[in-house]
Amino acid sequence: MSFVRVATVSEIPAGTMKHVEVGGKEICIANVSGKFYAINDRCGHENARLSRGSLINTIVTCPMHSSQFDITTGKLMSGPVLELAGIKEMFTGCPEKVKKAVEQMYEGIFEEQRLIKTYDQLVYDVKMDGSDVLVQI
Ligand code: FES
């Protein structure tokens, strides 16, 4: 394994994340108050890019179903949030038959999604070289 340049410090301002692809890997680089961290950029739930989610302090929230990971350890902090409530409201004005069919369809999808196990994210070592950010792959 060796360190590879993936970004410059100016490309990832504090409190933001960047997606990089290097060595066949998709990596999420985050700047937490001037310190850089890197984890696998594909969510273990349904493969969304974590770098397109949000970063608050050290917690990355997945843009698809809100699983949360600690960017410093890759540890899963909370699993996906799957709610039918908002979807039900979208069909409020539809005939009862349509509402029921949509509800059944989404309940089936959510049941399958609940069975998907979400694990900790792989963590990459990061080091700085002047204004460059390097990740060990
Ligand atoms: S894809 Fe990340 S929580 Fe579902």
Side-chain angles (χ1 to χ4, degrees):
M1 293 202 292
S2 59
F3 280 93
V4 177
R5 289 176 208 288
V6 292
T8 60
V9 170
S10 62
E11 292 176 287
I12 314 171
T16 68
M17 300 180 283
K18 179 180 174 67
H19 170 86
V20 298
E21 295 187 23
V22 60
K25 300 176 186 330
E26 295 185 69
I27 301 171
C28 169
I29 316 273
N31 179 341
V32 178
S33 303
K35 186 157 185 192
F36 290 82
Y37 299 92
I39 62 174
N40 175 23
D41 201 16
R42 288 292 171 183
C43 179
H45 179 234
E46 287 188 345
N47 227 22
R49 267 192 197 177
L50 294 174
S51 58
R52 294 182 62 82
S54 64
L55 175 67
I56 297 176
N57 298 318
T58 64
I59 303 300
V60 177
T61 301
C62 179
M64 277 184 67
H65 313 107
S66 304
S67 282
Q68 294 188 314
F69 304 88
D70 188 321
I71 192 79
T72 66
T73 62
K75 188 161 184 51
L76 175 69
M77 305 306 289
S78 62
V81 178
L82 308 166
E83 292 180 6
L84 188 58
I87 294 166
K88 265 185 177 173
E89 290 167 11
M90 291 167 47
F91 293 88
T92 303
C94 292
E96 206 53 46
K97 189 174 165 183
V98 172
K99 285 197 285 188
K100 189 80 179 163
V102 168
E103 192 174 319
Q104 286 175 340
M105 179 183 76
Y106 276 99
E107 282 177 354
I109 290 169
F110 290 165
E111 181 58 29
E112 291 307 313
Q113 288 183 330
R114 277 188 204 99
L115 298 175
I116 298 170
K117 294 208 182 265
T118 307
Y119 299 98
D120 297 344
Q121 293 296 105
L122 181 64
V123 175
Y124 296 92
D125 287 334
V126 177
K127 75 175 185 180
M128 309 304 295
D129 181 14
S131 61
D132 291 331
V133 181
L134 290 77
V135 172
Q136 189 174 34
I137 57 168

